Amino acid sequence: MAHALYRLGRLAHRRWPAFLVGWLLVLVAIGGVATTIAKPMSDSFTIPGIPSEQAMELQQELFPGADDPLTTPAGTVVVAAPEGERLSDPANAKAVENLLTELRQVPQAGDPEQFVNPVAADQGVTQQYLAAAQENGTPKEVAEANAAVVSPLSEDGRAGLIQWTFDAKSVTDVEPATKDAVHAAVEDARDAGLEAAATGSGLQGMPEMGVTSELIGIGVALLVLVLTFGSLVAAGLPILTALVGVGTGALGVVGATAFFDLSTTTPILATMLGLAVGIDYALFILSRYRTELRETGDREHAMGLAVGRAGSAVVFAGLTVIIALAALAVVNIPFLTAMGLAAAGTVLVAVLVALTLLPAILGALGGRAFAGQIRKDRIVEEGATTDNGGTRWARAIGAHPVVAVLVTVLALGALAIPAKDLSLALPTDSTAAEGTSQREAGDLIAEHFGEGQEARMAVVVDAREVEDPRAAGAAFGEVAAELGALDGVANAQVVGVNESGQGGQVLVTPTTSASDPATEELLHEVRDRVPQFEEATGTTIGVTGLNAIQVDVSEKLQDALVPYLAVVVGLAFVLLMLVFRSVLVPLTATLGFVLSTLATLGATVLVFQEGLFGLVDGAPLISFLPILMIGIVFGLAMDYQVFLVTRMREAYVHGDSAHEAVVDGFRHGARVVTAAAVIMISVFAAFVLQPDNLIKSMGFALATAVLLDAFVVRMVLIPALMYLLGDRAWAMPRWLDRLLPDVDVEGEALTRRTSAAPAEERVPV
């Protein structure tokens, strides 16, 4: 591999015009195709085969045209009169009518008759329930109680719900102008003296990212690169190539929507990874290029050596990231698989850019690659074996390796303890960020209609096997009565019977909110009782609804964590054995990652689930955060392992002792790995400034994971273990050594042809 990459680096450097034009054509072609075939992204988190999805299929069989709560583009505006007043008061009634008029005129509003005054709707619901009660003998007080539960008007008459379905095929087809018009109507209602907020699937979706977070990350990266290279030109090159990679990857993600159902979080993930690994990979190759220039005046040869040596490490580091992301497919969750594959594609682009575009740009720059220097390269003046911060740090760790291991393991273990209380859920109005319309609507609904309003379950009863129609009707009522008697249920009632009388729907309203663990426990209790109900009534029963779907998705994701981690670690372990020709080095690398991952989960639980520091209100973590974090950070952690430890192995195979090999690895790799980690942390941490809690938590978790893994595990634990293992670290059973192909990541097979330029003609960098 080293020889092939050496030739690729030389070719790209020598034929730089062709490579630059080639990348330009690639960008134009991908952009043209992507914008032509692209389809809207979605926010659906469904998983085929989960109980709630099966129940929904049953519901649609019995009630054709029944709405899917995740895909139906619904809208809800909650309005409330000032304290002590009612919506029926003249001034408030006028404000509500004006609001309804504006909503009817919203683009994609659909049938105007959907928009009904909550006061008028309440009267109609009450009359309907009382009339039905007279026919079937239901007590009046029961009918009134049931009517109050489904009424769009609160019991005190102060708050009301205006609900409708947009004239759009799905939630992704609701135009931004439509959402803006709804929010403008809500603002007018507020100006008229009402409390008002809008929510609903048709109004939600990931917020626009803008460029603030990216610019902050890029700004910090530029500062770090300037300090690393001491050159303004060299500092700008990794950022330039990373932006090309991000652009290409993002366009690829857009084009992939024609073939995959991608969620709106996918571009965010691609941006985070594209910037982070793109800068890192270019940084490693550019740093090695500068090192090779100290030995030869032949820039083309130096470029070949840099790509042959550091490029080999980049390829395998990229492969670990790609493996971790592509392995999301084994979880068998469609939206997560698509997200992982799209992100893996972005990483692949970053690798190709670092191996081909960067050498081409350096070929075009020639002797100006390290121009604009703000400090001299002191390493050239002092010699290649001079001590620096990396060597001093390595020797400090080597003086007390046992202490370093114990302190690191205990510290990470203590930080991991809160992870045992990990709770996962999908976003709801009640967990949305403070100040958002969704959060305001959720708070108003909980205040005036009860916390269980948005946590309702739809229990579908299939009585097609029941021969007597009267027995079928009785079965519906029996199921409702049994469910209504459960602790934690505020109300359970039959809300629909199909035309044949063989299908019924029971609406169950909990006393607790969608994010309350008690609601999840109630869902499981209802499902536990289903076999009993089915046997007693001769029916088939399923439980669905938005909250049930979200719980099922979260549980499936949580159950997938351990097998996913096993697959990723197993595949990466084999890959790292190829890289290091060792068993113990990959073992310590993966065990260190497990420690840093658990510690990161613990820290994220403390800050985002328990609300430590007041950064956000405490709420369950987004369901797919842990599994995505594992996939992303495992690959990135192995990046640092590869870049740092390959320099150790390079020194070891060239005759250094195991102890000195650790020092030499830090001499050449510590500064670059530190710079890469700081860049990665800054890119991820910048997303904590986003208002959306999902993006905020992802940025925090990824930044914390890189911080702990790079600076605690790779910079403290790994060198301490390498000191303790000594020569045993590089041992490999002969039979296994014969089985594994020799990929020569450190470029041992490449000879330094420094005769291309005498020492006195070495290039100043």
Side-chain angles (χ1 to χ4, degrees):
M1 174 183 286
H3 279 296
L5 291 176
Y6 171 83
R7 290 191 294 270
L8 177 62
R10 292 196 64 165
L11 179 64
H13 190 275
R14 183 172 64 254
R15 303 293 186 187
W16 61 265
F19 277 82
L20 293 181
V21 171
W23 272 104
L24 179 61
L25 292 176
V26 167
L27 267 173
V28 172
I30 293 178
V33 173
T35 53
T36 302
I37 66 175
K39 294 180 180 179
M41 296 182 180
S42 79
D43 287 306
S44 176
F45 298 105
T46 60
I47 301 177
I50 58 178
S52 52
E53 284 286 324
Q54 295 172 342
M56 184 175 294
E57 292 172 1
L58 178 63
Q59 181 185 41
Q60 291 172 343
E61 282 181 27
L62 296 171
F63 299 87
D67 290 340
D68 181 335
L70 288 176
T71 60
T72 301
T76 297
V77 171
V78 54
V79 292
E83 188 172 357
E85 300 181 19
R86 301 167 63 90
L87 288 181
S88 57
D89 294 343
N92 297 328
K94 182 178 180 181
V96 171
E97 285 300 330
N98 290 339
L99 171 61
L100 289 167
T101 300
E102 287 192 56
L103 290 175
R104 293 186 186 108
Q105 297 171 354
V106 166
Q108 299 179 286
D111 187 355
E113 294 184 3
Q114 297 180 96
F115 299 91
V116 181
N117 191 309
V119 176
D122 173 69
Q123 295 171 353
V125 168
T126 302
Q127 291 173 1
Q128 179 183 351
Y129 268 72
L130 290 176
Q134 288 181 344
E135 292 182 7
N136 56 34
T138 301
K140 179 180 179 182
E141 58 273 13
V142 173
E144 290 177 341
N146 287 341
V149 171
V150 298
S151 172
L153 187 70
S154 63
E155 290 190 25
D156 61 3
R158 183 184 167 194
L161 300 174
I162 302 170
Q163 299 170 310
W164 73 97
T165 300
F166 288 101
D167 183 16
K169 293 182 179 179
S170 66
V171 294
T172 56
D173 293 318
V174 179
E175 300 290 339
T178 299
K179 300 177 184 180
D180 292 341
V182 171
H183 290 301
V186 169
E187 283 298 323
D188 289 342
R190 289 175 175 175
D191 292 341
L194 298 176
E195 292 182 71
T199 186
S201 58
L203 295 171
Q204 295 182 13
M206 296 301 296
E208 295 294 327
M209 289 298 297
V211 296
T212 304
S213 295
E214 290 89 336
L215 288 179
I216 292 174
I218 290 172
V220 175
L222 182 59
L223 176 62
V224 172
L225 290 169
V226 168
L227 295 175
T228 300
F229 290 112
S231 163
L232 297 176
V233 174
L237 293 180
I239 293 177
L240 174 62
T241 55
L243 290 176
V244 172
V246 167
T248 306
L251 289 172
V253 171
V254 171
T257 57
F259 311 101
F260 304 100
D261 182 19
L262 300 183
S263 80
T264 49
T265 57
T266 304
I268 300 169
L269 184 62
T271 299
M272 284 182 177
L273 280 178
L275 281 176
V277 303
I279 293 174
D280 277 8
Y281 294 165
L283 167 62
F284 288 121
I285 291 179
L286 183 59
S287 178
R288 190 59 183 253
Y289 175 60
R290 182 177 64 170
T291 300
E292 300 300 341
L293 284 178
R294 296 175 183 139
E295 303 295 331
T296 176
D298 185 345
R299 296 185 183 278
E300 183 180 319
H301 173 54
M303 191 72 257
L305 289 173
V307 175
R309 291 192 167 102
S312 296
V314 165
V315 168
F316 277 89
L319 277 176
T320 59
V321 183
I322 291 170
I323 285 174
L325 293 169
L328 288 169
V330 305
V331 179
N332 196 29
I333 298 175
F335 80 88
L336 204 55
T337 298
M339 185 183 297
L341 292 176
T346 304
V347 175
L348 177 61
V349 171
V351 172
L352 295 176
V353 166
L355 296 178
T356 58
L357 181 59
L358 177 62
I361 294 175
L362 290 171
L365 290 173
R368 299 183 298 277
F370 294 92
Q373 290 192 353
I374 60 173
R375 63 172 172 79
K376 292 183 179 181
D377 189 355
R378 296 189 300 171
I379 295 180
V380 174
E381 297 174 356
E382 298 171 1
T385 60
T386 185
D387 279 352
N388 57 25
T391 59
R392 288 189 288 272
W393 176 259
R395 290 194 177 104
I397 297 295
H400 305 284
V402 174
V403 174
V405 170
L406 290 176
V407 170
T408 300
V409 171
L410 290 175
L412 293 177
L415 193 55
I417 291 174
K420 64 181 176 59
D421 299 321
L422 175 67
S423 177
L424 301 179
L426 290 176
T428 65
D429 288 346
S430 62
T431 59
E434 287 281 358
T436 62
S437 179
Q438 288 80 16
R439 179 59 178 271
E440 292 174 357
D443 290 345
L444 283 173
I445 291 173
E447 178 184 354
H448 296 286
F449 293 89
E451 292 187 342
Q453 176 79 9
E454 294 190 296
R456 289 172 167 174
M457 307 173 202
V459 178
V460 185
V461 184
D462 180 4
R464 285 176 290 188
E465 299 297 323
V466 179
E467 296 181 0
D468 185 354
R470 289 175 297 180
F476 305 150
E478 184 178 341
V479 170
E482 291 288 344
L483 292 175
L486 296 178
D487 291 338
V489 174
N491 180 270
Q493 58 176 297
V494 180
V495 293
V497 178
N498 64 4
E499 293 183 1
S500 68
Q502 295 177 315
Q505 294 186 68
V506 177
L507 181 68
V508 179
T509 304
T511 58
T512 49
S513 68
S515 59
D516 194 317
T519 306
E520 183 176 338
E521 293 174 7
L522 176 62
L523 172 63
H524 290 306
E525 183 178 0
V526 170
R527 283 180 171 159
D528 289 342
R529 290 176 177 260
V530 161
Q532 173 187 335
F533 296 157
E534 290 177 333
E535 183 177 355
T537 60
T539 61
T540 300
I541 300 174
V543 184
T544 186
L546 180 59
N547 184 249
I549 294 173
Q550 291 178 329
V551 169
D552 288 346
V553 171
S554 298
E555 290 183 348
K556 181 69 178 290
L557 286 166
Q558 191 159 356
D559 292 343
L561 274 175
V562 173
Y564 171 68
L565 185 60
V567 170
V568 169
V569 170
L571 290 175
F573 185 85
V574 174
L575 184 64
L576 291 176
M577 280 200 300
L578 290 176
V579 175
F580 297 122
R581 316 300 298 180
S582 164
V583 175
L584 292 178
V585 171
L587 182 61
T588 58
T590 52
L591 290 178
F593 165 74
V594 171
L595 270 177
S596 62
T597 297
L598 293 176
T600 299
L601 286 176
T604 307
V605 166
L606 282 176
V607 174
F608 286 88
Q609 186 175 308
E610 304 299 332
L612 185 67
F613 303 132
L615 184 63
V616 297
D617 290 340
L621 302 183
I622 185 71
S623 299
F624 54 81
L625 174 62
I627 205 165
L628 271 185
M629 186 200 74
I630 289 173
I632 296 168
V633 177
F634 182 81
L636 299 180
M638 295 306 104
D639 282 2
Y640 303 130
Q641 181 79 11
V642 169
F643 290 125
L644 193 60
V645 181
T646 49
R647 294 307 293 256
M648 297 180 191
R649 175 170 170 76
E650 186 175 345
Y652 185 77
V653 299
H654 282 91
D656 284 2
S657 67
H659 186 282
E660 283 304 313
V662 175
V663 176
D664 194 68
F666 270 74
R667 174 181 292 112
H668 295 290
R671 174 189 284 185
V672 178
V673 169
T674 298
V678 171
I679 290 170
M680 195 85 72
I681 292 167
S682 65
V683 169
F684 290 149
F687 285 88
V688 177
L689 301 177
Q690 289 291 326
D692 187 81
N693 285 348
L694 166 59
I695 303 173
K696 195 189 296 285
S697 63
M698 286 181 66
F700 175 86
L702 292 173
T704 302
V706 173
L707 174 68
L708 295 177
D709 201 277
F711 292 112
V712 179
V713 172
R714 307 303 150 191
M715 290 291 185
V716 180
L717 181 62
I718 293 302
L721 290 174
M722 295 294 286
Y723 280 123
L724 294 174
L725 291 172
D727 292 327
R728 294 188 299 272
W730 306 110
M732 169 78 82
R734 290 186 179 180
W735 64 269
L736 184 57
D737 190 54
R738 288 193 298 268
L739 287 176
L740 298 177
D742 187 1
V743 294
D744 189 22
V745 175
E746 66 275 359
E748 182 184 354
L750 292 176
T751 58
R752 289 181 177 272
R753 286 173 282 180
T754 53
S755 57
E760 61 270 15
E761 295 180 15
R762 291 174 186 170
V763 178
V765 292

